[in-house]
Amino acid sequence: MTGASPPEATVGASTIGLDANIVVGREDFELRAQVRVGPGEVLAVLGPNGAGKTTLLRALAGLLALREGHVEVGGARWDDPAANLFVPTTDRRVGLVFQDYRLFPHLSVLDNVAFAARARGARRGVARTGAAQVLERLGLDSLAARRPDQLSGGQAQRVALARALASEPAMVLLDEPLAALDARTRLEIRTELRRHLSAFAGPSIVVTHDPLEALVLADRILVLEEGRIAQTGTPSEVARRPVTEYVARLMGLNLYSGCLAGPGRIVLDGGGELRTATRSVEDLAEGSRVLAVLSPGAISLHLGELPQGSPRNVWTGTVSGVELLTDRVRVAVTGAPDALVDVTAAAVAELQLSPGQEVRLSAKATEVTAYPAP
Amino acid sequence: MMALDRGDRPGRRDRDLRITTRTPWPMMLPALVAVLFLLLPLAGLLVRAPWTDLPQLLSEPEAFQALRLSLVCATAATGLSLFFGIPLAWILARSRRPGISVLRALVTLPLVLPPVVGGVALLVALGRRGLVGRYLDEWFGYSLPFTTTAVILAETFVAMPFLVITVEGALRTANQGLEEAAATLGSKPFATFRRVTLPLIAPSLVAGSVLTWARALGEFGATITFAGNFPGTTQTMPLKIYLLIQNDPDAGIALSLVMLLVSVAALALLRDRWLSSGARL
């Protein structure tokens, strides 16, 4: 098997956190990602379906062996193909909360939570006492006697987390923890989850495709696209300065890439240009690659004459789609550049917007945020 | 709405909105014959049974002896099948080694093999001059054929594949995600098997055991060939019935009735799985 000793000895010494360089390959898909998570830190892994998020978790949990790289948690090596070392899942102490919870259907909630202690050799009574304490701490003691099929989705999610935490993990991994819940329960559980994860001393990783979940739960966000890291940063960095189309869409922003051509002037790759008042790009040399974001709410639509004191960015385009959001209407415009524009429902009626219509767009230079491309 | 309900008589309580197809008569007639054919002999058994002499016939020491031997041997064969068959089923279901499908075909061969041939094969392998039996005899002075152990082995040989295929199917469809969850909670593979997998496949385990037991109980060909027909040691119910029906038909019918009763009981145990056309787990 392996020459590694189980990492039990390092459970308390969680000052190092997770350090992993993951290379996993299937025939048609390869995941390459450097992941570091500090002790007590919560990392959200955000990405579209098929980006490799779950694969990343499985590699960390030892359900999938690395092809190259390493996984180290709390200073203990768990996987290192170069050194021919692989610690099996059983000995890793990962608290993995699966997307479908995977509670044992034949065991009560109490016995589900006591499972880890039993597996490590504790007597039934001792294990149950410990499990009861965990359930009480998480406010779930009233569910102790129930079977998993008698739980609501939210309850099952809570029990799954309790079971993972009760196993005294060195690291907590959550795979789309809220995906299967309805909107109201999701809100409730998200708040709880935030609290429980902050209380956990080791590194935690939450995999999600919901940007809000990532923004609320995480200290840091890692965006994964097609098996590669597209961006990492704090939630506000990622939300304000997305570097890929995918993240920009998630955050509801128009993202443009281009070259700096003079002070505050960006020539866009897709045609057209934008003026920006962002100071941070003033120091960049002419010709530097930059990204610029523009909120759909910061763009105005006009049919005829532009208002006086006209803003610095004005261009024309054709309406290609109109979509009703909860409190506003999002208009897709093709032009140089393309743009999503948010207007009020009243404005749509007033302007009689419909696909194929020519419109003028305008945005203030102060609304265009530019930053160096990575 | 009722117009859609063509196949059903009007006024039925459950107003099923599906268009139920009428059974065409070329299907109906043979099906009726099949039902009659299957049930008539059993009805005959009930009609012809010597009800008045039944208590006396069944209290014959030899009849009782045969019944007891049958029950003991079938139960022992089921035990052996469980002990060796579950691990075998697990390997057939989970191993990805090449040759597994060939192995599966080989170990389930007794399902289709004529039991008499199985008995002959057992004799050739384990008989006093057999491949392995020779050494049993030379080294330990032990001869297997014509003993109660031989009955148990013959029944196990014929019945174990029923358990293996039932359990293998269950293991194949069992949720392996739960085993992964157990591993993340620190459970070693065998402990996971015991604490998670086995309870999950319990319904199939019961079904497989009942099938195996019923098959072992009715075993005739392999038993008479490998173990012979000695009252008290190897004469099980089927053998006894076969013998009786030639000399004392009433007694033979009485014992057959007992076997029918046992079979009905076994079927009742399986009813949830089989009679409800697989709707429930």
PDB file of all heavy atoms in Angstrom, chain B residues 38-49 51 58 67 71 213-214 217-218 237-238 241 252-268:
ATOM      1  N   LEU B  38     -50.442 -25.181 -14.679  1.00  0.00           N
ATOM      2  CA  LEU B  38     -49.597 -24.998 -13.510  1.00  0.00           C
ATOM      3  C   LEU B  38     -50.337 -25.306 -12.212  1.00  0.00           C
ATOM      4  O   LEU B  38     -49.752 -25.806 -11.255  1.00  0.00           O
ATOM      5  CB  LEU B  38     -49.060 -23.557 -13.469  1.00  0.00           C
ATOM      6  CG  LEU B  38     -48.012 -23.227 -14.545  1.00  0.00           C
ATOM      7  CD1 LEU B  38     -47.639 -21.752 -14.498  1.00  0.00           C
ATOM      8  CD2 LEU B  38     -46.773 -24.097 -14.378  1.00  0.00           C
ATOM      9  N   LEU B  39     -51.612 -24.994 -12.196  1.00  0.00           N
ATOM     10  CA  LEU B  39     -52.339 -25.116 -10.932  1.00  0.00           C
ATOM     11  C   LEU B  39     -53.057 -26.451 -10.743  1.00  0.00           C
ATOM     12  O   LEU B  39     -53.257 -26.898  -9.625  1.00  0.00           O
ATOM     13  CB  LEU B  39     -53.338 -23.969 -10.790  1.00  0.00           C
ATOM     14  CG  LEU B  39     -52.695 -22.595 -10.650  1.00  0.00           C
ATOM     15  CD1 LEU B  39     -53.754 -21.538 -10.386  1.00  0.00           C
ATOM     16  CD2 LEU B  39     -51.664 -22.603  -9.534  1.00  0.00           C
ATOM     17  N   LEU B  40     -53.444 -27.074 -11.874  1.00  0.00           N
ATOM     18  CA  LEU B  40     -54.222 -28.306 -11.778  1.00  0.00           C
ATOM     19  C   LEU B  40     -53.519 -29.399 -10.970  1.00  0.00           C
ATOM     20  O   LEU B  40     -54.123 -29.998 -10.079  1.00  0.00           O
ATOM     21  CB  LEU B  40     -54.563 -28.798 -13.199  1.00  0.00           C
ATOM     22  CG  LEU B  40     -55.799 -29.696 -13.285  1.00  0.00           C
ATOM     23  CD1 LEU B  40     -57.022 -28.932 -12.790  1.00  0.00           C
ATOM     24  CD2 LEU B  40     -56.005 -30.180 -14.716  1.00  0.00           C
ATOM     25  N   PRO B  41     -52.245 -29.682 -11.258  1.00  0.00           N
ATOM     26  CA  PRO B  41     -51.570 -30.745 -10.496  1.00  0.00           C
ATOM     27  C   PRO B  41     -51.551 -30.461  -9.001  1.00  0.00           C
ATOM     28  O   PRO B  41     -51.734 -31.368  -8.195  1.00  0.00           O
ATOM     29  CB  PRO B  41     -50.151 -30.735 -11.071  1.00  0.00           C
ATOM     30  CG  PRO B  41     -50.273 -30.139 -12.402  1.00  0.00           C
ATOM     31  CD  PRO B  41     -51.377 -29.127 -12.297  1.00  0.00           C
ATOM     32  N   LEU B  42     -51.343 -29.180  -8.652  1.00  0.00           N
ATOM     33  CA  LEU B  42     -51.309 -28.831  -7.239  1.00  0.00           C
ATOM     34  C   LEU B  42     -52.679 -29.045  -6.612  1.00  0.00           C
ATOM     35  O   LEU B  42     -52.811 -29.577  -5.511  1.00  0.00           O
ATOM     36  CB  LEU B  42     -50.861 -27.382  -7.052  1.00  0.00           C
ATOM     37  CG  LEU B  42     -49.443 -27.079  -7.556  1.00  0.00           C
ATOM     38  CD1 LEU B  42     -49.096 -25.622  -7.330  1.00  0.00           C
ATOM     39  CD2 LEU B  42     -48.438 -27.989  -6.877  1.00  0.00           C
ATOM     40  N   ALA B  43     -53.717 -28.663  -7.377  1.00  0.00           N
ATOM     41  CA  ALA B  43     -55.072 -28.894  -6.898  1.00  0.00           C
ATOM     42  C   ALA B  43     -55.316 -30.390  -6.742  1.00  0.00           C
ATOM     43  O   ALA B  43     -55.910 -30.851  -5.755  1.00  0.00           O
ATOM     44  CB  ALA B  43     -56.070 -28.279  -7.880  1.00  0.00           C
ATOM     45  N   GLY B  44     -54.817 -31.171  -7.701  1.00  0.00           N
ATOM     46  CA  GLY B  44     -54.949 -32.617  -7.650  1.00  0.00           C
ATOM     47  C   GLY B  44     -54.349 -33.184  -6.377  1.00  0.00           C
ATOM     48  O   GLY B  44     -54.905 -34.064  -5.720  1.00  0.00           O
ATOM     49  N   LEU B  45     -53.194 -32.616  -6.030  1.00  0.00           N
ATOM     50  CA  LEU B  45     -52.504 -33.059  -4.825  1.00  0.00           C
ATOM     51  C   LEU B  45     -53.395 -32.853  -3.600  1.00  0.00           C
ATOM     52  O   LEU B  45     -53.521 -33.725  -2.732  1.00  0.00           O
ATOM     53  CB  LEU B  45     -51.214 -32.253  -4.672  1.00  0.00           C
ATOM     54  CG  LEU B  45     -50.079 -32.867  -3.859  1.00  0.00           C
ATOM     55  CD1 LEU B  45     -49.688 -34.216  -4.390  1.00  0.00           C
ATOM     56  CD2 LEU B  45     -48.893 -31.923  -3.844  1.00  0.00           C
ATOM     57  N   LEU B  46     -54.043 -31.689  -3.581  1.00  0.00           N
ATOM     58  CA  LEU B  46     -54.906 -31.369  -2.442  1.00  0.00           C
ATOM     59  C   LEU B  46     -56.129 -32.291  -2.419  1.00  0.00           C
ATOM     60  O   LEU B  46     -56.560 -32.768  -1.372  1.00  0.00           O
ATOM     61  CB  LEU B  46     -55.357 -29.906  -2.517  1.00  0.00           C
ATOM     62  CG  LEU B  46     -54.277 -28.865  -2.271  1.00  0.00           C
ATOM     63  CD1 LEU B  46     -54.817 -27.459  -2.476  1.00  0.00           C
ATOM     64  CD2 LEU B  46     -53.709 -29.031  -0.866  1.00  0.00           C
ATOM     65  N   VAL B  47     -56.685 -32.550  -3.616  1.00  0.00           N
ATOM     66  CA  VAL B  47     -57.894 -33.369  -3.695  1.00  0.00           C
ATOM     67  C   VAL B  47     -57.608 -34.826  -3.326  1.00  0.00           C
ATOM     68  O   VAL B  47     -58.335 -35.459  -2.561  1.00  0.00           O
ATOM     69  CB  VAL B  47     -58.493 -33.299  -5.121  1.00  0.00           C
ATOM     70  CG1 VAL B  47     -59.629 -34.304  -5.285  1.00  0.00           C
ATOM     71  CG2 VAL B  47     -58.980 -31.889  -5.421  1.00  0.00           C
ATOM     72  N   ARG B  48     -56.511 -35.331  -3.866  1.00  0.00           N
ATOM     73  CA  ARG B  48     -56.190 -36.747  -3.672  1.00  0.00           C
ATOM     74  C   ARG B  48     -55.538 -37.032  -2.316  1.00  0.00           C
ATOM     75  O   ARG B  48     -55.319 -38.177  -1.957  1.00  0.00           O
ATOM     76  CB  ARG B  48     -55.262 -37.221  -4.802  1.00  0.00           C
ATOM     77  CG  ARG B  48     -55.967 -37.786  -6.006  1.00  0.00           C
ATOM     78  CD  ARG B  48     -56.557 -39.183  -5.689  1.00  0.00           C
ATOM     79  NE  ARG B  48     -55.582 -40.255  -5.784  1.00  0.00           N
ATOM     80  CZ  ARG B  48     -55.096 -40.927  -4.760  1.00  0.00           C
ATOM     81  NH1 ARG B  48     -55.479 -40.631  -3.535  1.00  0.00           N
ATOM     82  NH2 ARG B  48     -54.230 -41.909  -4.939  1.00  0.00           N
ATOM     83  N   ALA B  49     -55.206 -35.980  -1.572  1.00  0.00           N
ATOM     84  CA  ALA B  49     -54.502 -36.186  -0.307  1.00  0.00           C
ATOM     85  C   ALA B  49     -55.329 -37.022   0.655  1.00  0.00           C
ATOM     86  O   ALA B  49     -56.527 -36.807   0.783  1.00  0.00           O
ATOM     87  CB  ALA B  49     -54.180 -34.832   0.326  1.00  0.00           C
ATOM     88  N   TRP B  51     -56.543 -37.155   3.557  1.00  0.00           N
ATOM     89  CA  TRP B  51     -56.667 -36.245   4.703  1.00  0.00           C
ATOM     90  C   TRP B  51     -56.888 -36.973   6.018  1.00  0.00           C
ATOM     91  O   TRP B  51     -56.321 -36.605   7.038  1.00  0.00           O
ATOM     92  CB  TRP B  51     -57.808 -35.248   4.466  1.00  0.00           C
ATOM     93  CG  TRP B  51     -57.514 -34.291   3.337  1.00  0.00           C
ATOM     94  CD1 TRP B  51     -58.051 -34.312   2.094  1.00  0.00           C
ATOM     95  CD2 TRP B  51     -56.587 -33.208   3.359  1.00  0.00           C
ATOM     96  NE1 TRP B  51     -57.530 -33.318   1.315  1.00  0.00           N
ATOM     97  CE2 TRP B  51     -56.619 -32.615   2.066  1.00  0.00           C
ATOM     98  CE3 TRP B  51     -55.727 -32.690   4.321  1.00  0.00           C
ATOM     99  CZ2 TRP B  51     -55.828 -31.524   1.728  1.00  0.00           C
ATOM    100  CZ3 TRP B  51     -54.957 -31.599   3.980  1.00  0.00           C
ATOM    101  CH2 TRP B  51     -54.994 -31.025   2.705  1.00  0.00           C
ATOM    102  N   LEU B  58     -47.925 -39.023   8.638  1.00  0.00           N
ATOM    103  CA  LEU B  58     -46.841 -38.076   8.882  1.00  0.00           C
ATOM    104  C   LEU B  58     -46.086 -38.379  10.171  1.00  0.00           C
ATOM    105  O   LEU B  58     -44.957 -37.931  10.357  1.00  0.00           O
ATOM    106  CB  LEU B  58     -47.375 -36.641   8.924  1.00  0.00           C
ATOM    107  CG  LEU B  58     -47.830 -36.096   7.565  1.00  0.00           C
ATOM    108  CD1 LEU B  58     -48.302 -34.661   7.698  1.00  0.00           C
ATOM    109  CD2 LEU B  58     -46.696 -36.189   6.541  1.00  0.00           C
ATOM    110  N   LEU B  67     -37.946 -35.746   6.856  1.00  0.00           N
ATOM    111  CA  LEU B  67     -38.255 -34.320   6.915  1.00  0.00           C
ATOM    112  C   LEU B  67     -37.171 -33.581   7.696  1.00  0.00           C
ATOM    113  O   LEU B  67     -36.667 -32.539   7.275  1.00  0.00           O
ATOM    114  CB  LEU B  67     -39.625 -34.102   7.557  1.00  0.00           C
ATOM    115  CG  LEU B  67     -40.067 -32.643   7.670  1.00  0.00           C
ATOM    116  CD1 LEU B  67     -40.212 -32.020   6.293  1.00  0.00           C
ATOM    117  CD2 LEU B  67     -41.373 -32.516   8.443  1.00  0.00           C
ATOM    118  N   LEU B  71     -34.625 -30.658   6.307  1.00  0.00           N
ATOM    119  CA  LEU B  71     -34.541 -29.316   6.868  1.00  0.00           C
ATOM    120  C   LEU B  71     -33.117 -29.002   7.319  1.00  0.00           C
ATOM    121  O   LEU B  71     -32.574 -27.920   7.026  1.00  0.00           O
ATOM    122  CB  LEU B  71     -35.518 -29.161   8.041  1.00  0.00           C
ATOM    123  CG  LEU B  71     -36.996 -29.245   7.674  1.00  0.00           C
ATOM    124  CD1 LEU B  71     -37.875 -29.147   8.923  1.00  0.00           C
ATOM    125  CD2 LEU B  71     -37.373 -28.155   6.686  1.00  0.00           C
ATOM    126  N   TRP B 213     -32.376 -21.930  -0.111  1.00  0.00           N
ATOM    127  CA  TRP B 213     -32.896 -22.931   0.814  1.00  0.00           C
ATOM    128  C   TRP B 213     -33.944 -23.797   0.134  1.00  0.00           C
ATOM    129  O   TRP B 213     -33.930 -25.023   0.238  1.00  0.00           O
ATOM    130  CB  TRP B 213     -33.484 -22.205   2.028  1.00  0.00           C
ATOM    131  CG  TRP B 213     -33.839 -23.108   3.156  1.00  0.00           C
ATOM    132  CD1 TRP B 213     -32.992 -23.651   4.072  1.00  0.00           C
ATOM    133  CD2 TRP B 213     -35.154 -23.572   3.491  1.00  0.00           C
ATOM    134  NE1 TRP B 213     -33.690 -24.421   4.963  1.00  0.00           N
ATOM    135  CE2 TRP B 213     -35.025 -24.399   4.622  1.00  0.00           C
ATOM    136  CE3 TRP B 213     -36.425 -23.370   2.941  1.00  0.00           C
ATOM    137  CZ2 TRP B 213     -36.109 -25.023   5.227  1.00  0.00           C
ATOM    138  CZ3 TRP B 213     -37.510 -23.995   3.543  1.00  0.00           C
ATOM    139  CH2 TRP B 213     -37.355 -24.812   4.668  1.00  0.00           C
ATOM    140  N   ALA B 214     -34.851 -23.153  -0.634  1.00  0.00           N
ATOM    141  CA  ALA B 214     -35.908 -23.891  -1.321  1.00  0.00           C
ATOM    142  C   ALA B 214     -35.312 -24.828  -2.366  1.00  0.00           C
ATOM    143  O   ALA B 214     -35.741 -25.978  -2.507  1.00  0.00           O
ATOM    144  CB  ALA B 214     -36.879 -22.915  -1.975  1.00  0.00           C
ATOM    145  N   LEU B 217     -33.719 -27.700  -0.578  1.00  0.00           N
ATOM    146  CA  LEU B 217     -34.724 -28.593   0.002  1.00  0.00           C
ATOM    147  C   LEU B 217     -35.270 -29.554  -1.047  1.00  0.00           C
ATOM    148  O   LEU B 217     -35.542 -30.710  -0.765  1.00  0.00           O
ATOM    149  CB  LEU B 217     -35.871 -27.750   0.573  1.00  0.00           C
ATOM    150  CG  LEU B 217     -36.822 -28.465   1.513  1.00  0.00           C
ATOM    151  CD1 LEU B 217     -36.131 -28.736   2.835  1.00  0.00           C
ATOM    152  CD2 LEU B 217     -38.078 -27.633   1.731  1.00  0.00           C
ATOM    153  N   GLY B 218     -35.419 -29.095  -2.277  1.00  0.00           N
ATOM    154  CA  GLY B 218     -36.006 -29.917  -3.323  1.00  0.00           C
ATOM    155  C   GLY B 218     -34.991 -30.733  -4.097  1.00  0.00           C
ATOM    156  O   GLY B 218     -35.363 -31.490  -4.991  1.00  0.00           O
ATOM    157  N   MET B 237     -36.377 -35.748   1.918  1.00  0.00           N
ATOM    158  CA  MET B 237     -37.789 -35.826   1.529  1.00  0.00           C
ATOM    159  C   MET B 237     -38.016 -36.193   0.068  1.00  0.00           C
ATOM    160  O   MET B 237     -38.793 -37.098  -0.231  1.00  0.00           O
ATOM    161  CB  MET B 237     -38.481 -34.502   1.853  1.00  0.00           C
ATOM    162  CG  MET B 237     -38.761 -34.290   3.319  1.00  0.00           C
ATOM    163  SD  MET B 237     -40.120 -35.311   3.905  1.00  0.00           S
ATOM    164  CE  MET B 237     -41.500 -34.216   3.578  1.00  0.00           C
ATOM    165  N   PRO B 238     -37.356 -35.496  -0.871  1.00  0.00           N
ATOM    166  CA  PRO B 238     -37.626 -35.834  -2.275  1.00  0.00           C
ATOM    167  C   PRO B 238     -37.310 -37.296  -2.579  1.00  0.00           C
ATOM    168  O   PRO B 238     -38.054 -37.957  -3.320  1.00  0.00           O
ATOM    169  CB  PRO B 238     -36.687 -34.893  -3.053  1.00  0.00           C
ATOM    170  CG  PRO B 238     -36.441 -33.760  -2.124  1.00  0.00           C
ATOM    171  CD  PRO B 238     -36.451 -34.360  -0.760  1.00  0.00           C
ATOM    172  N   ILE B 241     -40.030 -39.451  -0.990  1.00  0.00           N
ATOM    173  CA  ILE B 241     -41.288 -39.363  -1.741  1.00  0.00           C
ATOM    174  C   ILE B 241     -41.216 -40.213  -3.010  1.00  0.00           C
ATOM    175  O   ILE B 241     -42.129 -40.969  -3.329  1.00  0.00           O
ATOM    176  CB  ILE B 241     -41.594 -37.895  -2.107  1.00  0.00           C
ATOM    177  CG1 ILE B 241     -41.952 -37.102  -0.843  1.00  0.00           C
ATOM    178  CG2 ILE B 241     -42.726 -37.792  -3.120  1.00  0.00           C
ATOM    179  CD1 ILE B 241     -42.053 -35.606  -1.057  1.00  0.00           C
ATOM    180  N   GLY B 252     -46.751 -41.154  -0.005  1.00  0.00           N
ATOM    181  CA  GLY B 252     -45.994 -40.266  -0.883  1.00  0.00           C
ATOM    182  C   GLY B 252     -46.707 -38.935  -1.065  1.00  0.00           C
ATOM    183  O   GLY B 252     -46.095 -37.871  -0.976  1.00  0.00           O
ATOM    184  N   ILE B 253     -48.031 -39.021  -1.275  1.00  0.00           N
ATOM    185  CA  ILE B 253     -48.813 -37.791  -1.463  1.00  0.00           C
ATOM    186  C   ILE B 253     -48.800 -36.958  -0.184  1.00  0.00           C
ATOM    187  O   ILE B 253     -48.665 -35.733  -0.220  1.00  0.00           O
ATOM    188  CB  ILE B 253     -50.257 -38.140  -1.878  1.00  0.00           C
ATOM    189  CG1 ILE B 253     -50.243 -38.713  -3.302  1.00  0.00           C
ATOM    190  CG2 ILE B 253     -51.152 -36.912  -1.814  1.00  0.00           C
ATOM    191  CD1 ILE B 253     -51.553 -39.320  -3.734  1.00  0.00           C
ATOM    192  N   ALA B 254     -48.887 -37.622   0.953  1.00  0.00           N
ATOM    193  CA  ALA B 254     -48.894 -36.906   2.233  1.00  0.00           C
ATOM    194  C   ALA B 254     -47.605 -36.099   2.397  1.00  0.00           C
ATOM    195  O   ALA B 254     -47.632 -34.920   2.767  1.00  0.00           O
ATOM    196  CB  ALA B 254     -49.042 -37.892   3.388  1.00  0.00           C
ATOM    197  N   LEU B 255     -46.478 -36.753   2.098  1.00  0.00           N
ATOM    198  CA  LEU B 255     -45.204 -36.042   2.235  1.00  0.00           C
ATOM    199  C   LEU B 255     -45.092 -34.921   1.198  1.00  0.00           C
ATOM    200  O   LEU B 255     -44.549 -33.856   1.482  1.00  0.00           O
ATOM    201  CB  LEU B 255     -44.032 -37.011   2.073  1.00  0.00           C
ATOM    202  CG  LEU B 255     -43.816 -37.998   3.222  1.00  0.00           C
ATOM    203  CD1 LEU B 255     -42.447 -38.650   3.104  1.00  0.00           C
ATOM    204  CD2 LEU B 255     -43.953 -37.340   4.579  1.00  0.00           C
ATOM    205  N   SER B 256     -45.623 -35.163   0.000  1.00  0.00           N
ATOM    206  CA  SER B 256     -45.601 -34.121  -1.028  1.00  0.00           C
ATOM    207  C   SER B 256     -46.347 -32.888  -0.553  1.00  0.00           C
ATOM    208  O   SER B 256     -45.942 -31.757  -0.802  1.00  0.00           O
ATOM    209  CB  SER B 256     -46.252 -34.630  -2.321  1.00  0.00           C
ATOM    210  OG  SER B 256     -45.505 -35.700  -2.827  1.00  0.00           O
ATOM    211  N   LEU B 257     -47.459 -33.175   0.159  1.00  0.00           N
ATOM    212  CA  LEU B 257     -48.268 -32.086   0.684  1.00  0.00           C
ATOM    213  C   LEU B 257     -47.446 -31.220   1.640  1.00  0.00           C
ATOM    214  O   LEU B 257     -47.531 -29.984   1.629  1.00  0.00           O
ATOM    215  CB  LEU B 257     -49.473 -32.677   1.410  1.00  0.00           C
ATOM    216  CG  LEU B 257     -50.757 -31.867   1.400  1.00  0.00           C
ATOM    217  CD1 LEU B 257     -51.192 -31.576  -0.013  1.00  0.00           C
ATOM    218  CD2 LEU B 257     -51.834 -32.631   2.164  1.00  0.00           C
ATOM    219  N   VAL B 258     -46.628 -31.886   2.443  1.00  0.00           N
ATOM    220  CA  VAL B 258     -45.782 -31.157   3.388  1.00  0.00           C
ATOM    221  C   VAL B 258     -44.809 -30.254   2.630  1.00  0.00           C
ATOM    222  O   VAL B 258     -44.623 -29.077   2.954  1.00  0.00           O
ATOM    223  CB  VAL B 258     -45.002 -32.138   4.288  1.00  0.00           C
ATOM    224  CG1 VAL B 258     -44.010 -31.382   5.150  1.00  0.00           C
ATOM    225  CG2 VAL B 258     -45.960 -32.927   5.156  1.00  0.00           C
ATOM    226  N   MET B 259     -44.220 -30.817   1.572  1.00  0.00           N
ATOM    227  CA  MET B 259     -43.268 -30.027   0.786  1.00  0.00           C
ATOM    228  C   MET B 259     -43.963 -28.820   0.138  1.00  0.00           C
ATOM    229  O   MET B 259     -43.399 -27.733   0.062  1.00  0.00           O
ATOM    230  CB  MET B 259     -42.639 -30.894  -0.319  1.00  0.00           C
ATOM    231  CG  MET B 259     -41.750 -31.990   0.199  1.00  0.00           C
ATOM    232  SD  MET B 259     -40.246 -31.349   0.961  1.00  0.00           S
ATOM    233  CE  MET B 259     -39.121 -31.368  -0.412  1.00  0.00           C
ATOM    234  N   LEU B 260     -45.199 -29.058  -0.332  1.00  0.00           N
ATOM    235  CA  LEU B 260     -45.962 -27.967  -0.940  1.00  0.00           C
ATOM    236  C   LEU B 260     -46.163 -26.849   0.075  1.00  0.00           C
ATOM    237  O   LEU B 260     -45.992 -25.663  -0.237  1.00  0.00           O
ATOM    238  CB  LEU B 260     -47.315 -28.496  -1.434  1.00  0.00           C
ATOM    239  CG  LEU B 260     -48.245 -27.443  -2.053  1.00  0.00           C
ATOM    240  CD1 LEU B 260     -47.632 -26.846  -3.297  1.00  0.00           C
ATOM    241  CD2 LEU B 260     -49.611 -28.046  -2.376  1.00  0.00           C
ATOM    242  N   LEU B 261     -46.489 -27.255   1.298  1.00  0.00           N
ATOM    243  CA  LEU B 261     -46.712 -26.288   2.373  1.00  0.00           C
ATOM    244  C   LEU B 261     -45.457 -25.460   2.615  1.00  0.00           C
ATOM    245  O   LEU B 261     -45.502 -24.229   2.733  1.00  0.00           O
ATOM    246  CB  LEU B 261     -47.104 -27.059   3.642  1.00  0.00           C
ATOM    247  CG  LEU B 261     -47.809 -26.239   4.704  1.00  0.00           C
ATOM    248  CD1 LEU B 261     -49.252 -26.024   4.291  1.00  0.00           C
ATOM    249  CD2 LEU B 261     -47.738 -26.955   6.050  1.00  0.00           C
ATOM    250  N   VAL B 262     -44.310 -26.163   2.669  1.00  0.00           N
ATOM    251  CA  VAL B 262     -43.037 -25.470   2.911  1.00  0.00           C
ATOM    252  C   VAL B 262     -42.752 -24.489   1.780  1.00  0.00           C
ATOM    253  O   VAL B 262     -42.310 -23.356   2.010  1.00  0.00           O
ATOM    254  CB  VAL B 262     -41.895 -26.499   3.047  1.00  0.00           C
ATOM    255  CG1 VAL B 262     -40.545 -25.789   3.111  1.00  0.00           C
ATOM    256  CG2 VAL B 262     -42.094 -27.357   4.278  1.00  0.00           C
ATOM    257  N   SER B 263     -43.042 -24.906   0.536  1.00  0.00           N
ATOM    258  CA  SER B 263     -42.790 -24.028  -0.617  1.00  0.00           C
ATOM    259  C   SER B 263     -43.659 -22.783  -0.542  1.00  0.00           C
ATOM    260  O   SER B 263     -43.186 -21.665  -0.816  1.00  0.00           O
ATOM    261  CB  SER B 263     -43.089 -24.760  -1.922  1.00  0.00           C
ATOM    262  OG  SER B 263     -42.357 -25.957  -1.973  1.00  0.00           O
ATOM    263  N   VAL B 264     -44.930 -22.973  -0.176  1.00  0.00           N
ATOM    264  CA  VAL B 264     -45.831 -21.827  -0.074  1.00  0.00           C
ATOM    265  C   VAL B 264     -45.308 -20.862   0.991  1.00  0.00           C
ATOM    266  O   VAL B 264     -45.324 -19.640   0.811  1.00  0.00           O
ATOM    267  CB  VAL B 264     -47.270 -22.292   0.249  1.00  0.00           C
ATOM    268  CG1 VAL B 264     -48.140 -21.104   0.644  1.00  0.00           C
ATOM    269  CG2 VAL B 264     -47.862 -23.016  -0.944  1.00  0.00           C
ATOM    270  N   ALA B 265     -44.808 -21.440   2.081  1.00  0.00           N
ATOM    271  CA  ALA B 265     -44.259 -20.589   3.144  1.00  0.00           C
ATOM    272  C   ALA B 265     -43.073 -19.786   2.618  1.00  0.00           C
ATOM    273  O   ALA B 265     -42.925 -18.592   2.898  1.00  0.00           O
ATOM    274  CB  ALA B 265     -43.845 -21.445   4.337  1.00  0.00           C
ATOM    275  N   ALA B 266     -42.207 -20.456   1.830  1.00  0.00           N
ATOM    276  CA  ALA B 266     -41.036 -19.759   1.278  1.00  0.00           C
ATOM    277  C   ALA B 266     -41.479 -18.619   0.350  1.00  0.00           C
ATOM    278  O   ALA B 266     -40.944 -17.518   0.392  1.00  0.00           O
ATOM    279  CB  ALA B 266     -40.164 -20.750   0.516  1.00  0.00           C
ATOM    280  N   LEU B 267     -42.501 -18.918  -0.448  1.00  0.00           N
ATOM    281  CA  LEU B 267     -43.009 -17.911  -1.369  1.00  0.00           C
ATOM    282  C   LEU B 267     -43.580 -16.714  -0.599  1.00  0.00           C
ATOM    283  O   LEU B 267     -43.402 -15.566  -0.987  1.00  0.00           O
ATOM    284  CB  LEU B 267     -44.089 -18.542  -2.245  1.00  0.00           C
ATOM    285  CG  LEU B 267     -44.349 -17.845  -3.575  1.00  0.00           C
ATOM    286  CD1 LEU B 267     -43.093 -17.830  -4.423  1.00  0.00           C
ATOM    287  CD2 LEU B 267     -45.477 -18.537  -4.314  1.00  0.00           C
ATOM    288  N   ALA B 268     -44.238 -17.022   0.509  1.00  0.00           N
ATOM    289  CA  ALA B 268     -44.817 -15.954   1.333  1.00  0.00           C
ATOM    290  C   ALA B 268     -43.705 -15.046   1.854  1.00  0.00           C
ATOM    291  O   ALA B 268     -43.862 -13.835   1.919  1.00  0.00           O
ATOM    292  CB  ALA B 268     -45.600 -16.559   2.492  1.00  0.00           C
TER     293      ALA B 268
END
